[in-house]
Amino acid sequence: MQKVIGNDGRVLAVEEWGEPDGTPVLYVCGSPMSRLARYPDPGLFARLGIRLITYDRPGFGYSTPKPGRRVVDAAEDIAAIADALGMARFPIFGVSGGGPHALAFTARFPHRVVRAAALASLAPRDADGLDWTDGMGAGNRASAAEAMRGVEALTAHLGAHASASAPSLLPANDQAILARPEIGAMVRTAFAEALRPGIAGWVDETLALFGLPWGFDPATISRQVRLWHGELDEAVPVGHGRWLAARIPGATLATRADVGHAGHFDATPAMLEWLVRAD
């Protein structure tokens, strides 16, 4: 683990995976997850020649909390990490709750992004024309309702779930993928590390994703973006991916009819191949 100091003096905990001299790719994990989240087969990084960079968002793992943060604030954190690691331009991708944060960096620092991808990503809570909770499972629907009530209500709600394991928080249609030993072990470890310091970071993150505007408009993104979504996704319904595809200029969306949220694991290898492909 490395510790990077952000522009405002906060600590950002960073991890590297794969090939030390490979193509740097910044991965923005789901929520609540940590820098220990990544595609669980290191052979993929070796085959593609990837140096994967992961980090703890504020309040997770070893990263300093940032109460009241918005999604857009991640852009400066990612820029600080890239500066510390000597990464001038690089591909970036995010999964689930990490998707909006990856898109925030792409919008704010387009000159530093080679390509961007978001898999099973949320759309903004204030997305025009989107029924935000339509098709959403009971767990995230309840979190969305509590986020709109404020920090105290959300803290009480998430506190009741803090002792649950990460796989149990996802819908039944994801359980077959999460039951794979290498995926299940990684997810459990990354989840436990995210919440090791407590739930304050989870509260801040859920409020930013489920209750507040992002602080930037995806329509301002000017880099090449690919999106992926499972049509059976109950954690983040496919309507979110379709909204993003319609909003981001030139974005392409791939969907898969027979998988839910955790299907992003099987979609990751092809997305990484695209992210590091030489034109």
Side-chain angles (χ1 to χ4, degrees):
M1 183 185 73
Q2 305 174 58
K3 292 185 178 180
V4 171
I5 305 302
N7 295 333
D8 59 1
R10 287 179 298 106
V11 170
L12 298 165
V14 177
E15 206 79 49
E16 298 195 30
W17 314 86
E19 304 299 293
D21 297 322
T23 301
V25 177
L26 198 138
Y27 171 54
V28 193
C29 65
S31 178
M33 285 285 146
S34 66
R35 71 191 185 284
L36 303 182
R38 76 279 182 199
Y39 189 78
D41 180 5
L44 177 65
F45 306 138
R47 178 170 65 83
L48 296 178
I50 287 174
R51 171 193 175 200
L52 192 76
I53 314 298
T54 62
Y55 79 103
D56 291 334
R57 288 197 291 282
F60 293 141
Y62 285 98
S63 287
T64 307
K66 185 180 172 118
R69 62 185 169 96
R70 297 183 301 163
V71 168
V72 70
D73 295 331
E76 292 291 341
D77 287 352
I78 294 171
I81 291 168
D83 289 344
L85 299 184
M87 297 159 52
R89 293 183 72 245
F90 51 93
I92 184 170
F93 78 113
V95 165
S96 187
H101 297 87
L103 294 175
F105 181 78
T106 305
R108 287 300 176 94
F109 294 92
H111 59 288
R112 304 194 68 169
V113 175
V114 176
R115 292 187 177 96
L119 295 83
S121 176
L122 288 158
R125 184 62 195 261
D126 59 350
D128 291 339
L130 176 66
D131 184 346
W132 204 82
T133 59
D134 182 41
M136 189 173 282
N140 275 359
R141 186 183 289 268
S143 294
E146 297 305 320
M148 298 303 288
R149 294 178 58 197
V151 172
E152 290 186 7
L154 186 58
T155 299
H157 170 71
L158 294 181
H161 300 282
S163 62
S165 65
S168 71
L169 297 176
L170 288 172
N173 63 17
D174 293 315
Q175 295 306 317
I177 293 175
L178 294 170
R180 298 175 193 171
E182 71 282 7
I183 292 178
M186 181 279 293
V187 168
R188 286 189 293 271
T189 300
F191 176 81
E193 174 63 8
L195 299 191
R196 179 181 48 75
I199 68 167
W202 192 12
V203 171
D204 292 336
E205 173 114 332
T206 304
L207 186 62
L209 290 169
F210 285 38
L212 298 174
W214 285 359
F216 73 98
D217 186 347
T220 64
I221 293 174
S222 59
R223 304 306 295 166
Q224 192 175 8
V225 174
R226 283 194 178 181
L227 306 167
W228 178 93
H229 225 106
E231 293 185 19
L232 299 181
D233 196 332
E234 297 176 21
V236 181
V238 68
H240 288 236
R242 291 178 177 139
W243 188 92
L244 289 169
R247 188 75 176 178
I248 299 171
T252 61
L253 170 66
T255 64
R256 182 169 161 180
D258 60 340
V259 297
H261 195 67
H264 68 75
F265 284 107
D266 290 336
T268 292
M271 194 67 84
L272 280 172
E273 287 185 25
W274 174 75
L275 284 167
V276 300
R277 187 181 70 203
D279 287 329

